[in-house]
Amino acid sequence: SNHIKFYGANCINTNDNLRSRNLYNGSFLTFNSCSFIEVYNCKSENMNYLVQLCKNCHDVLIYNNQFYNKSIKEQSSMSAILCYSSYNVDIYNNFVQGQTYDGTISVFGVGSNNVNVYNNRLINYYDLNTVNYLSQGITIDQGCKFVNIYNNEVRGYWYGIDVKSNVEFIDVYKNT
């Protein structure tokens, strides 16, 4: 699909038992091989994902969204925004509050190129003494190239910004 816009959508999950650690479970918006996507001013509560980009999505803007995970269960959410093997993606001006298991914003997979993550505010409100050690604010992993991470506020995570293995040309600067 091409030329997709989501504006001002809301999704609230009231049954915390429906979520599990599964790539395709509990997502508000999932795109697979789509192009020219714009997601803005959306709100998601207690879902595993706000937005998932899966395999070969490109020319994507994700901005001015809110994601809340109010669950007290460990590992109850995966990533708020997931960019998997997608390219030409801008993720900016989003607000995320609550615990996530994987990177709150995750970019990974061969083919994840030309991705910009900037001006986001990520707040994990759990005490660092009790937070899962896998809790990450922003994660870059497994085959990504040309990723820029800048001007983000990342608080309360075990790893604030986690750049992992098999990545190239990653710029990280001016984050707090």
Side-chain angles (χ1 to χ4, degrees):
S1 297
N2 298 311
H3 302 284
I4 303 164
K5 285 189 176 189
F6 277 90
Y7 172 75
N10 289 306
C11 184
I12 299 172
N13 176 15
T14 58
N15 186 350
D16 205 32
N17 293 322
L18 293 178
R19 294 190 290 168
S20 66
R21 243 184 91 65
N22 180 304
L23 187 59
Y24 298 104
N25 189 26
S27 177
F28 182 23
L29 301 170
T30 299
F31 302 98
N32 195 340
S33 298
C34 298
S35 61
F36 302 100
I37 302 165
E38 193 170 355
V39 178
Y40 59 104
N41 290 338
C42 293
K43 182 179 177 183
S44 173
E45 291 185 35
N46 300 328
M47 300 294 292
N48 277 355
Y49 303 96
L50 168 64
V51 178
Q52 281 188 108
L53 303 175
C54 301
K55 295 184 180 179
N56 299 318
C57 289
H58 62 88
D59 298 295
V60 179
L61 300 173
I62 301 170
Y63 62 98
N64 293 347
N65 298 291
Q66 298 173 33
F67 176 93
Y68 298 94
N69 178 24
K70 297 178 182 175
S71 175
I72 58 171
K73 292 183 177 182
E74 283 188 36
Q75 303 175 10
S76 62
S77 182
M78 294 190 57
S79 300
I81 299 170
L82 171 69
C83 176
Y84 174 65
S85 295
S86 296
Y87 58 95
N88 297 342
V89 176
D90 283 286
I91 302 167
Y92 62 97
N93 294 343
N94 297 289
F95 177 76
V96 180
Q97 183 178 39
Q99 186 175 20
T100 57
Y101 183 71
D102 288 329
T104 298
I105 295 176
S106 292
V107 180
F108 71 99
V110 172
S112 284
N113 300 319
N114 300 320
V115 178
N116 298 299
V117 179
Y118 59 97
N119 296 338
N120 297 287
R121 189 168 182 227
L122 313 176
I123 310 297
N124 183 348
Y125 54 77
Y126 288 90
D127 182 346
L128 278 178
N129 293 321
T130 62
V131 71
N132 184 297
Y133 73 92
L134 293 176
S135 179
Q136 303 147 2
I138 299 172
T139 300
I140 310 300
D141 199 2
Q142 302 174 6
C144 298
K145 292 182 181 178
F146 304 104
V147 178
N148 296 301
I149 304 166
Y150 60 94
N151 291 338
N152 297 287
E153 178 185 353
V154 183
R155 289 194 283 149
Y157 295 90
W158 192 272
Y159 301 100
I161 297 172
D162 192 11
V163 179
K164 295 187 177 185
S165 60
N166 300 316
V167 298
E168 296 181 274
F169 309 108
I170 309 301
D171 288 330
V172 179
Y173 56 95
K174 295 184 180 176
N175 298 284
T176 58

